[in-house]
Structure formats: structure tokens, C-alpha cells
Amino acid sequence: MACVRAHPRHLLAACLVAGLLSFASAPVVLTAAALAAALGGRRTALGAGGAALVLSGALLAHARVDALDRTALEPLLGHEVTLSATLLERPRRGAFGTRFALAALASGRGRGERVVLRLGRLPRALRVDPGRRLEIRGVLTQLGPHDGHLRRRGAHARVVVRRLWAGGGSRGGVLGWVDELRARAEASVGRGLDRRRAALARGMVLGQDEALSEADLRAFRASGLAHLLAASGQNVMLLSALAVPALAALGLGLRARLTGALALIAVYVPVAGAGPSILRAGVMGAAAIVAGLAGRPASRWYALLLAAAITLAVNPRAAGDPGWQLSFAVVVGILGLARPLRGALAARRMPPGLAEAIAVTASATLATAPLLSFHFGRVSAISLPANLLAACAVAPVMWLGMLAAAIGAVLPAGAAVMNWLAQFPLGYLAWLAATAAALPGASVPARLGSSAAVVAAYGLLGLAFALRGRMAAVLPPGAAGAAVAVGAVAVAVSLAGGRPAPPDPRALVVWFFDVGQGDATLIQHGGASMLVDTGPPGGPLLGRLRAAGVRRIDVLVVTHAQSDHEGGAAAVLDRYPVGLLVDGGEGTATREHQAILAAARRRQVPRTAPDAGQELRAGPLRLEVLWPRREPAERHAGEDPNLRAVVAVLHDGDFDLLLPADAESDVTATLDLPPVDALKVAHHGSRDPGLPDLLARLHPRLAVIEVG
């Protein structure tokens, strides 16, 4: 209560953020409003104002989400369309050679709405810079259940592009001016450098990591240095640190210097992509500068709450974005933990500069570890020393890159000089990332499987510091526990909005996972689960299974020995307890199959070959194998594996699903197949002359094609 009386504006800002975060749940909104009213204590007006802000934030978020979701594209879904669209970003690499880019429709039905372009090979002469107008022909499809990250960015549909050609120039207005500034900055940053250093410079200065090689991206992730490749608060801080002395050298007064720094931040944020991290940093930096202009001390906690309120008001779904969560977790960690850590190190007579670097890096590492574990399943064990060793090179790269971007349009030779100087710290950072990533155990598996586990991890972290009394030096009395509680609620609500809801364990759920080119079908009911095929090696299956709430697999069926069906099986066996492996590739010698056998031996998983007439049961699930008949492996050596792919029917009560893998009508026409409710179409929808007859025999209400 003392904290609330001393900082009423903090309470009011927190109430607005709570309403924006919890808009999807009426009970949470009402609970937060009641809590805000109680925190006002005897100051009735403060409590009423806090409750009103909670409700206002929830109503604002509802209205904003309704506006973001409004679409005129529904009648076009599933049809081939010709569209005119403006690129909002450069195409990014996806799985299996595809590229993705966000675009805004420039004319016709749905004008102004955002769509995701799924692209194949791009024409060599075609410019794909942000702001470019393109003409597109392709099929408009709805977003899938795992496309939450695209919905959070405002996308309403996906366009599978068949043909792409240049449209009528670029967009105009303020956005066109920003596009032009970005293009000039890109041309200047990295001018004269080799391809690798230029890509790294653009990633660090402008947040554009598209041109970095997969090897470099993996190295920066494994070493814990990936945050350097995203425009973030560090960029804004270094920009301000560069701008204010430079403006002072021109003889400008304090007010003019702060105004100039504010203008530079306002330009830099959209040029750097206006992502969650850089937007949060821009708002916080602007708040601090405005406080300086007003002659009032800046509150970093208040600026953080203000940044959360503004970013959530723009897009309430931003809280489900991993980048948004990590950005705020870093700042909360540094504000809450760095000071006591620095004090503890200084008490041991560590030099002040080193103590500061270790405290900030350790705070950021601790604050982000639970989220990294939840979203990516791995944490970097080498992150702390790698970031300490990188610290000496980060500021020079940022400052030289920003100077190159500023003077490059006027004096290209000056930009080349800046880049020549930057090549040395850039080379050092690339070497450091590669060396650190190559160390044994640099990146270790660490999984928090639920939002509750994340909240528990942050609760324990906060409790540890609170019990040691360290937080008392940073926050007013009682505020440490409140900060942990508010953080736990915020993380729980935001994570709940960012992942699919777990299935009802009492109902039958069949998942046809998007794993690219391949099959992976999960059946769940009453706590039992069966997985038929596992998609290609290195695919996203483990993440899909985690999102579906899988803890154990009772029956794993590998239908036949082809990599787009068995490629992920070894990883599944290593990750999950498996009750039985039905091995449809028995007797083959593919590399993937040998890995499956090794994993099954390692985990002591029982294994059986499929045989027509088998019945496999798990809870209420019954899988009846119709094909193949068990024979010695030598009898079908060299035969097309599709001809011996497992064909099975899933029975659950009065529901029946046919799963023929890649066995087409030359196999299924000879089998006694019952009518079914649903059909997984064989061989990824390949042309099969017998498919019409099969549909006439089975009468399925639903047919699903699993294809890349």
C-alpha cells in the first residue's frame, strides 16, 4: 500500500496493461478490476480509476482485435485469384525451399488487408524490397491452426503464389518515405564489405538477418548471441548515446539535443522494422527523453508499463509473440536483478566496469531462460561468457553502422570508410559465435512444456531474490512480490493466447500435422494417443506434438521406409515414452531407418512388424491393420516401398478413419474396405486413377491431403 500511495501513476498504468492483456477472459478482467479497486485502499478515486482502466483496456483490446480481424476475403478462400499487393518485408526462408513474406493488398476486395505470400523460386530480375508493388496470381487459402504468429502480425489469409511479376512502382506518402530511407540505409550499411560481414552488419544495425547463412544463424543461436541480430533496446540506447554528444558538439542546448534524439528514435524505429523489441525500446526511450524535456526524473518502471500499454493497444495479440515476451523479460530482469548482482560483485572488489557487464548479462540471461526453454526447447550454456566477450565489439559495430547509414546517401565514400573500420569487430563477432557454438554442450535441450511451468520458473526466480532481501534495494517495500505476481499473470495470459488450446481429453481429436512434405497423423482420446508417421527429418513435428499436449505415445506406426514418413521417428523415440513401435520399414537399410532401430534399442521400446489382421489398442482407440501381410523381407527386396505401406483403419466408437499412407488404389482396390467417416488421401494427393472408385466405395464425409 505504501508503494501504491507513493506511485499512483504506476498503479494506473499497470491497470491499463492488465486490461489489455486479459481481454480474452471475462473472469480475469473482473478479478483484475476488483484487485485494482482494493489496491486503492482509502483513496477511493484511485481504486475506482484503476478498476475503470482495467475495464477500458479490455474494451479497447476487444475493439482493436475486432478491427484487426475484419476481412472481406472469405468468399475468395480456396479460389485462384489475381491480386495487387505491396510487400511489407523481404521474403524469408521457410522449410523445403519455400519463402514467405507479409504483404498488404493494394486494390480490389480486401484492400489494405494483410496476407502471407508463400513463394517458390523468385524471378532473378524482380525486386522484392519492402514497399514494392507486385502483381500476384495464386490460390488464396485460410491460415492454419499453427499460424498464430501470422495472425498476430495481422495476416488474414495465405496466398500460394503461382506467378509473380512487378506491379506499378512503390507506395507513397510517409510509408514510402520510410521505405526510401530504409533502402538507402541498407545500401550504405555493409558497402564495401564481403557478403558475410555485410549481412551481419545489416542484422545488427537494421535488424535484417535474411541474408545471413543458415550456418551463421545457427552459430549465433547456439552461442546465445542471436539477440544481436534483432533491432532492440540496445540499438536505441546506443543511438541516443551517439546522438546526444554529437548534437552537443554542434553547440545545441539540452532541450534541442533531447528533441533531436527523440526525432532520431522516431525515424529509426520504423526503418529498423518496428518489430516488438524495437517498438518497446523506442517507446521507453521516448518516454525517458520526454521526461527530460519536462524536467522530471524518468521512471524506468513507468516507461516499461507505458511501452507495454502502447504496443498492446496497437496490437493486443502482440503479447503472444515470443519476441515481445523476451523483450519485456530482458528489461524486467535488468531493472530487477542487475543492481543487486552488481552490488554483490562490487562487494567482492570486482572492477566496476566488469561488475556492471556481468550483472547486466547475467540478469538478461536469467530473465529469458524460461521463455527460451518454453518456445525453443533449448538454452545456451555458453551465453554468459559469450556475451561478455562480445560486449567490447557491439558498440563499435552499432555506431559505425549508424554513421554509415546516416552519411551514406550524401557521401558514399564516407560510408565505405565506416564499414572498413567496422569489418574488424564484425569479423571478431562472427568468429566468436562460431567458436562458442562449436564448444561441447554450448546449446543444451531444456524444455518447459507448459505455461504453468514458465510461471513457476519465474515465481521461483523472483522468490529467490526476494528471500535474500536483494530486491529491497531496487523496489519499494512489498513491490517485489507484486512485480513477481504481475509478471506471472502477464506471462500466463500472453502464453495462453499464443498457443493452441489443449484438446479436451474426453473427446476424440485427430491432428493432421503440417510438417511440410510428409505425413504425421496424431490420434488422441481419453489420455491415449497413437501417432502414424512422423514426417521428414528435421521437421517441426516435436513442436507440433508439444502444442497438442502430448506426454506419451502408446503406439507409434512407421508405415514404410521413406524419409517423408519415417524421417522424424528417431527424434520422437528419443523425446517421448513410446509403448509400441509398429515398424513398416523392417528389413530396409536406409539411414533414417537405422536411426529408428538404434533409438528403439536405446529406449527399450517394443517393436513389431505390421501384419494384416492385427488390432492395436490404446484406451478407446482401435487401429486395425489391413495391409501388408507379413512376409520374409527378401521376398520384396527392391520393391517400391509404397506397395507395402501400412494401410489401417482407426475405429473409435462409431467413427472410422482410413489411413492408407502412400498405398494407392493398386493396393487398396484389392482390400475389403468398410465405409468410413474420414479419409487420409494416399500418397499426398498424387494422381490416382482409382481414387473416384475408392471414394464411391467409402463415402467419406471428409478427405485430408497431407502434402508440402
Side-chain angles (χ1 to χ4, degrees):
M1 298 309 297
C3 177
V4 169
R5 285 194 294 270
H7 304 282
R9 61 177 181 154
H10 291 64
L11 172 65
L12 295 176
C15 289
L16 179 59
V17 171
L20 289 165
L21 275 173
S22 57
F23 74 96
S25 172
V28 175
V29 172
L30 295 175
T31 302
L35 179 61
L39 284 173
R42 295 179 181 177
R43 299 175 66 175
T44 308
L46 179 61
L53 280 171
V54 171
L55 298 174
S56 299
L59 291 172
L60 172 61
H62 262 296
R64 184 64 183 143
V65 167
D66 286 343
L68 291 172
D69 288 349
R70 199 171 297 128
T71 178
L73 297 177
E74 284 187 4
L76 301 178
L77 294 175
H79 297 281
E80 185 164 342
V81 293
T82 300
L83 304 170
S84 179
T86 301
L87 273 181
L88 301 179
E89 63 183 7
R90 276 199 174 80
R92 289 182 170 272
R93 290 187 296 266
F96 307 103
T98 56
R99 292 175 181 270
F100 293 87
L102 198 64
L105 299 181
S107 61
R109 185 189 288 270
R111 180 177 180 180
E113 293 189 35
R114 292 185 172 192
V115 295
V116 176
L117 307 180
R118 179 178 171 179
L119 307 159
R121 187 185 298 274
L122 294 171
R124 235 175 233 189
L126 185 66
R127 292 187 62 182
V128 287
D129 305 323
R132 285 280 165 186
R133 185 74 55 83
L134 298 175
E135 300 297 321
I136 302 156
R137 183 173 298 154
V139 178
L140 192 71
T141 65
Q142 64 183 358
L143 298 175
H146 295 285
D147 288 333
H149 63 294
L150 300 176
R151 289 189 182 87
R152 286 193 293 271
R153 300 188 63 193
H156 290 165
R158 187 195 298 261
V159 182
V160 181
V161 177
R162 307 295 191 208
R163 188 179 167 218
L164 192 68
W165 65 97
S170 305
R171 59 184 172 181
V174 175
L175 293 177
W177 177 72
V178 170
D179 293 335
E180 187 177 346
L181 281 181
R182 185 187 296 114
R184 291 179 180 177
E186 290 170 5
S188 299
V189 175
R191 177 178 281 133
L193 294 175
D194 61 67
R195 185 173 179 177
R196 186 187 188 194
R197 285 183 171 86
L200 181 54
R202 293 190 185 104
M204 293 183 64
V205 178
L206 301 174
Q208 298 174 2
D209 61 357
E210 301 94 339
L212 281 164
S213 68
E214 285 294 332
D216 282 337
L217 286 172
R218 283 196 299 269
F220 273 84
R221 289 169 187 150
S223 60
L225 298 173
H227 64 94
L228 298 179
L229 305 177
S232 63
Q234 185 171 241
N235 297 50
V236 172
M237 179 188 70
L238 291 172
L239 173 64
S240 302
L242 177 66
V244 172
L247 294 172
L250 296 175
L252 299 178
L254 176 62
R255 186 172 294 274
R257 294 199 300 271
L258 293 177
T259 302
L262 188 63
L264 284 173
I265 291 173
V267 172
Y268 179 70
V269 168
V271 167
S277 299
I278 192 69
L279 191 58
R280 187 269 311 153
V283 172
M284 289 192 67
I289 290 172
V290 169
L293 288 171
R296 300 177 63 182
S299 166
R300 291 175 295 175
W301 288 104
Y302 184 69
L304 183 67
L305 289 167
L306 187 63
I310 291 176
T311 53
L312 291 172
V314 171
N315 182 1
R317 290 199 179 104
D321 183 83
W324 190 93
Q325 296 167 13
L326 289 166
S327 174
F328 279 87
V330 164
V331 179
V332 170
I334 292 173
L335 293 182
L337 306 180
R339 184 175 173 182
L341 284 175
R342 183 174 62 242
L345 295 172
R348 290 164 174 77
R349 299 184 178 180
M350 183 172 287
L354 182 59
E356 175 76 18
I358 292 176
V360 169
T361 304
S363 300
T365 301
L366 286 170
T368 56
L371 283 172
L372 290 171
S373 174
F374 178 80
H375 286 296
F376 308 112
R378 303 188 74 84
V379 294
S380 174
I382 202 72
S383 175
L384 179 58
N387 276 277
L388 288 173
L389 291 171
C392 62
V394 172
V397 168
M398 294 291 189
W399 285 333
L400 291 167
M402 290 171 180
L403 289 172
I407 67 178
V410 180
L411 189 63
V417 170
M418 297 299 153
N419 292 330
W420 182 84
L421 294 171
Q423 68 176 318
F424 302 106
L426 284 168
Y428 167 72
L429 288 173
W431 168 85
L432 177 63
T435 303
L439 293 174
S443 179
V444 296
R447 298 183 183 277
L448 291 178
S450 67
S451 56
V454 177
V455 172
Y458 279 114
L460 290 173
L461 179 63
L463 184 62
F465 274 83
L467 290 177
R468 291 180 61 195
R470 302 294 188 182
M471 297 292 278
V474 183
L475 298 175
V484 172
V486 170
V489 171
V491 170
V493 171
S494 62
L495 291 179
R499 290 188 169 262
D504 183 348
R506 299 166 296 178
L508 170 68
V509 180
V510 181
W511 303 78
F512 298 92
F513 287 129
D514 176 6
V515 291
Q517 176 56 40
D519 276 14
T521 305
L522 174 70
I523 307 105
Q524 297 172 294
H525 193 177
S529 62
M530 293 182 173
L531 178 63
V532 180
D533 284 329
T534 58
L541 178 62
L542 294 182
R544 304 286 193 244
L545 293 172
R546 184 178 66 194
V550 172
R551 295 292 177 267
R552 169 186 168 83
I553 296 170
D554 295 287
V555 178
L556 170 61
V557 180
V558 175
T559 60
H560 61 296
Q562 287 188 328
S563 63
D564 59 342
H565 290 255
E566 68 173 1
V572 170
L573 287 163
D574 280 331
R575 172 65 180 84
Y576 289 99
V578 174
L580 175 68
L581 169 63
V582 180
D583 184 4
E586 189 177 40
T588 58
T590 64
R591 183 170 56 184
E592 287 88 356
H593 198 73
Q594 295 306 308
I596 293 170
L597 297 180
R601 285 193 297 268
R602 215 166 33 244
R603 299 298 296 269
Q604 298 181 334
V605 176
R607 187 169 62 92
T608 184
D611 191 15
Q614 271 179 334
E615 281 199 356
L616 308 165
R617 293 179 178 269
L621 304 175
R622 180 168 64 92
L623 193 69
E624 180 184 359
V625 177
L626 306 178
W627 180 262
R629 298 181 187 88
R630 187 177 298 173
E631 296 176 346
E634 57 271 13
R635 291 189 58 178
H636 47 82
E639 189 178 35
D640 181 357
N642 291 340
L643 297 176
R644 293 193 57 79
V646 173
V647 179
V649 179
L650 172 79
H651 305 285
D652 188 314
D654 58 358
F655 175 82
D656 301 298
L657 164 68
L658 178 63
L659 298 166
D662 281 356
E664 296 181 272
S665 59
D666 47 359
V667 172
T668 55
T670 66
L671 303 177
D672 183 17
L673 300 176
V676 296
D677 300 281
L679 164 69
K680 198 289 296 186
V681 178
H683 206 185
H684 319 289
S686 294
R687 186 171 303 217
D688 179 3
L691 183 57
D693 290 339
L694 182 70
L695 294 174
R697 289 169 59 198
L698 302 182
H699 299 290
R701 289 181 291 148
L702 174 73
V704 178
I705 301 175
E706 296 191 75
V707 64

